[in-house]
Amino acid sequence: MCGIFCLLSLSPFESPHDQRLHQNLSRRGPNSTQDLTITHPNPFYRCLFSAHVLHMRGALTPQPVRDAGGNVLLWNGEIFGGIAVAPEENDTRVMASQLSACDTPAELLSVVSRVRGPWAFVYYQQAQHCLWFGRDFFGRRSLLWQFDAAAEALTLTSVGGACSPTGADPWLEVPAAGVYRVDLKAGRVGGTGAVTLEVYPWATAGGGLPSSDKVPSNCVATMNQWGLGLPPPVSPLNTSVPEVGAEVLRSSSASRVAAGDLEEVLASRERTGEADHLNAVLSEAVRRRVQSLPCDIRDESSPPPPPPPNDHASVAVLFSGGIDSMILAALADRHVPAQQPIDLLNVAFMLQEPRTLKPQQQAAKKKSERRHTDRHKPTADSTNAPEVSSPFDVPDRLTGRAGLLELRALNPERRWNFVEVNVTQEELQRARRERVRHLVQPLDTVLDDSIGCAVWFAARGEGFVARGGERTPFASPAKVILTGIGADEQLAGYSRHRVRFQTSGHQGLVQELAMELGRISSRNLGRDDRVIADHGKEARFPYLDEDVVDYLNSLPVWRKADLSLPRGVGEKLLLRQGARALGLGSSALLPKRAMQFGSRIAKMENSHERASDRCNRLLSA
């Protein structure tokens, strides 16, 4: 993980830097900072490369990396497959070596398209006088761009600076539409004064040029002259739908069991090989991400570092106790060394005031606790629940505690650090003003504010853990954070999927799911990458592993979800069946609850806002 920055100047005059931008980049990569400037006299161009490295694997490799041929690489990614990287190797070095051997655009595209894992990069080819850059197929790593017409400068960066930069257009996310190339010999196009961006798109049905509103002004995106593209890393989505008679029969059958107990409904569903196959590819995706762990800092000549101490978690999970995070935790348990803890990061925003539970609420709470503890003895951390709830007993805190009990039953030998991250309104407002609003941009909706703030606090990992009946302050040291994004988008987890199914059947649902993956880079992933990396930690997305997406894309939609069944069963049905196979209990039946509601951050602000409204707090905080 790195914070990467490139300033391409087409004017000999120096372009000013935004100091906040540099600070934001340095927080992403606290282990190494280095700059490199390359100037060419005729035609004139200047490239300033800056990199801030978070050391994750192999020997610490400062960036930018410049080879013997003068080529320069800024690499913000992880290679989990496609290109061989030995355990002791650094993937930046491997990628630089692979690119150095490329002479033609086709050769470079072949290297980039083979990478399995998240990436964003900037690459300068000295002999060809060109600048390449782009993001992976899903856009799992952030890359922003901006053109300053007055300074004649194009900026590429992992994270922006001030919300309203003076003299330049607003920041935009580089569309994850393919790879881009700037011919530096051409400079600006005569007459128009525009910079030409050659696009090498992903060769998919919807692949092509990004829309003009996604491209900085004074820049023009054109298809490359060779007509080259990148082969997509996953197969196309299976768009088949059941025959009309079968669809009606399924819906009729579901309506008869809708009123039954959810446990019985799920148990009545035939367990198929698809659930076991999904568990297998998900397990492998998690293994790749938890076994490529951070190392202690050393240079290339130093011996390998010792293993981390047993009380030091290398892996954390953004944890609500819902099915997505429960499966990630259960699979991480298979692959993280037994002596190491796993941190479960659970965020809650303060309710207005503590509330005394009514007798029926107390009874329901105790019944829920018994259901989750009937397979193992209660621990000191889970007994004697107070009769007066905490102001941080939000829905995700309660399901998180219940999920913790399931995980302890699954592996009582593992130390599970359930980190209660508690946030007051004052802390929220300060963090938004000082940090989060700069990270969320260029997104600006109420939803972006809520999710961005919640993920930022959760990823920071500062809170309390319960040990021996007492709550003690705790800060998670884990650099790798697993997040469940991608599960709902592929397995029909959102309420809008159910609405679409009710109005348009399976055909409409397939169209909705196709749209979800197509826009996930612009709606979610760049934002979440910027927010999590602000703590010098790396987000990893097992549900968006290429093999996982490829397998889910191969299945017909009715094998993945059955939205004629009740909430808590029908959505993400295949994942729920897989959770049962892993030994999970009631968490397999929890309906989808959005993070902004489960953490109660939405209750701390204007409850009459719509998620899609522009958020003034991000602009004026």
Side-chain angles (χ1 to χ4, degrees):
M1 166 68 74
C2 303
I4 60 177
F5 172 92
C6 174
L7 177 64
L8 167 62
S9 299
L10 300 175
S11 166
F13 300 104
E14 292 284 346
S15 299
H17 283 351
D18 180 354
Q19 189 59 33
R20 184 182 291 275
L21 186 151
H22 185 275
Q23 293 170 354
N24 288 344
L25 287 166
S26 64
R27 281 193 288 266
R28 290 177 64 95
N31 301 140
S32 171
T33 295
Q34 188 168 276
D35 296 342
L36 173 65
T37 300
I38 291 177
T39 303
H40 190 266
N42 186 25
F44 179 85
Y45 62 83
R46 180 191 299 110
C47 291
L48 168 61
F49 302 96
S50 182
H52 308 260
V53 177
L54 175 67
H55 184 214
M56 299 299 289
R57 63 200 296 188
L60 173 61
T61 302
Q63 295 191 47
V65 175
R66 189 175 193 183
D67 66 17
N71 304 308
V72 178
L73 174 64
L74 295 174
W75 175 254
N76 176 26
E78 295 287 347
I79 301 175
F80 293 129
I83 294 176
V85 181
E88 69 280 2
E89 287 186 306
N90 178 272
D91 60 348
T92 301
R93 285 289 182 195
V94 171
M95 199 67 189
S97 176
Q98 291 273 334
L99 292 173
S100 294
C102 298
D103 294 320
T104 66
E107 291 172 341
L108 186 142
L109 296 176
S110 175
V111 170
V112 171
S113 65
R114 291 204 310 271
V115 176
R116 296 295 179 263
W119 50 264
F121 81 107
V122 179
Y123 186 61
Y124 168 70
Q125 281 186 307
Q126 179 168 286
Q128 288 81 7
H129 293 284
C130 65
L131 191 70
W132 296 85
F133 59 93
R135 302 165 67 194
D136 73 75
F137 185 78
F138 300 115
R140 288 164 290 187
R141 290 290 174 259
S142 170
L143 191 63
L144 308 181
W145 57 8
Q146 176 194 88
F147 191 82
D148 186 334
E152 295 186 79
L154 174 68
T155 300
L156 302 164
T157 178
S158 297
V159 61
C163 284
S164 300
T166 303
D169 289 334
W171 293 106
L172 297 172
E173 287 189 319
V174 174
V179 171
Y180 303 80
R181 178 181 179 270
V182 178
D183 184 349
L184 301 175
K185 299 188 300 297
R188 306 188 69 173
V189 178
T192 65
V195 172
T196 299
L197 307 167
E198 290 183 350
V199 182
Y200 297 77
W202 295 104
T204 59
L209 298 178
S211 59
S212 58
D213 61 328
K214 304 298 183 184
V215 178
S217 61
N218 293 287
C219 295
V220 177
T222 63
M223 189 66 68
N224 69 87
Q225 59 183 304
W226 298 280
L228 296 174
L230 298 96
V234 298
S235 59
L237 179 68
N238 185 326
T239 59
S240 61
V241 297
E243 296 179 2
V244 175
E247 186 166 353
V248 171
L249 179 62
R250 182 179 290 104
S251 177
S252 175
S253 175
S255 66
R256 291 195 295 270
V257 300
D261 183 81
L262 294 183
E263 295 270 2
E264 295 180 4
V265 173
L266 184 58
S268 69
R269 304 298 290 185
E270 178 186 0
R271 172 141 168 240
T272 64
E274 284 97 340
D276 293 330
H277 194 144
L278 177 58
N279 280 349
V281 293
L282 260 178
S283 180
E284 176 60 17
V286 170
R287 184 196 66 78
R288 292 171 184 150
R289 286 156 178 78
V290 304
Q291 291 187 350
S292 298
L293 296 177
C295 306
D296 291 341
I297 304 304
R298 61 187 174 99
D299 60 34
E300 295 176 334
S301 62
S302 301
N310 289 346
D311 61 348
H312 180 109
S314 295
V315 175
V317 182
L318 291 186
F319 188 76
S320 66
I323 184 173
D324 305 341
S325 60
M326 283 292 291
I327 285 180
L328 292 183
L331 293 176
D333 180 54
R334 292 181 172 185
H335 304 295
V336 173
Q339 71 276 12
Q340 289 184 20
I342 295 175
D343 292 347
L344 309 173
L345 309 178
N346 182 275
V347 65
F349 291 82
M350 187 176 184
L351 299 172
Q352 291 302 311
E353 58 184 20
R355 51 194 174 86
T356 303
L357 296 180
K358 297 178 181 179
Q360 60 268 34
Q361 292 174 315
Q362 295 177 17
K365 183 177 180 180
K366 291 179 179 178
K367 180 180 179 180
S368 175
E369 289 170 351
R370 284 196 301 271
R371 186 167 64 247
H372 289 288
T373 58
D374 60 1
R375 290 185 297 168
H376 72 295
K377 294 181 180 179
T379 67
D381 298 336
S382 61
T383 56
N384 302 320
E387 296 301 312
V388 178
S389 70
S390 160
F392 297 104
D393 274 357
V394 301
D396 279 0
R397 179 60 47 80
L398 300 180
T399 55
R401 288 174 182 155
L404 172 64
L405 299 181
E406 284 192 36
L407 293 173
R408 285 176 174 163
L410 204 63
N411 185 355
E413 303 302 319
R414 169 81 64 189
R415 192 163 102 203
W416 301 95
N417 290 325
F418 183 72
V419 187
E420 299 184 10
V421 178
N422 298 331
V423 186
T424 65
Q425 189 167 32
E426 180 183 5
E427 291 172 314
L428 170 63
Q429 292 172 346
R430 182 172 60 251
R432 178 193 290 119
R433 179 178 63 252
E434 295 177 359
R435 304 279 279 276
V436 180
R437 71 183 180 124
H438 303 293
L439 302 168
V440 169
Q441 69 160 317
L443 305 185
D444 60 3
T445 69
V446 170
L447 180 63
D448 295 314
D449 172 51
S450 296
I451 299 297
C453 290
V455 171
W456 187 88
F457 277 104
R460 187 173 66 168
E462 296 180 3
F464 299 89
V465 295
R467 290 176 180 164
E470 297 183 358
R471 295 169 70 252
T472 58
F474 184 87
S476 172
K479 286 186 181 180
V480 170
I481 298 182
L482 302 180
T483 170
I485 191 167
D488 290 304
E489 287 80 359
Q490 297 180 82
L491 291 151
Y494 293 122
S495 58
R496 61 178 175 268
H497 296 142
R498 188 173 289 273
V499 171
R500 186 65 186 274
F501 173 75
Q502 291 169 346
T503 58
S504 305
H506 283 98
Q507 188 67 54
L509 179 58
V510 168
Q511 294 170 355
E512 193 78 14
L513 294 180
M515 181 179 64
E516 293 284 4
L517 271 187
R519 67 184 183 182
I520 196 170
S521 63
S522 59
R523 284 175 63 97
N524 305 90
L525 293 174
R527 176 199 64 207
D528 290 358
D529 173 74
R530 293 189 293 275
V531 167
I532 292 174
D534 191 54
H535 303 294
K537 302 182 179 185
E538 180 172 290
R540 296 186 173 178
F541 310 99
Y543 289 106
L544 292 173
D545 178 89
E546 286 83 354
D547 289 343
V548 173
V549 177
D550 192 68
Y551 178 63
L552 289 175
N553 275 1
S554 73
L555 297 176
V557 66
W558 66 88
R559 293 289 192 185
K560 297 180 282 191
D562 185 349
L563 299 187
S564 61
L565 290 172
R567 290 183 70 240
V569 177
E571 73 280 14
K572 299 187 283 193
L573 175 61
L574 185 62
L575 199 62
R576 298 181 191 282
Q577 293 173 309
R580 285 298 204 206
L582 291 174
L584 298 177
S586 297
S587 60
L589 294 164
L590 289 176
K592 168 67 180 178
R593 183 169 55 227
M595 188 179 194
Q596 66 270 29
F597 302 120
S599 67
R600 283 296 188 260
I601 186 174
K603 290 289 187 181
M604 297 187 78
E605 308 293 355
N606 182 359
S607 60
H608 298 293
E609 295 173 317
R610 293 181 301 177
S612 59
D613 287 346
R614 196 176 188 196
C615 182
N616 292 327
R617 293 182 296 277
L618 291 174
L619 304 176
S620 60

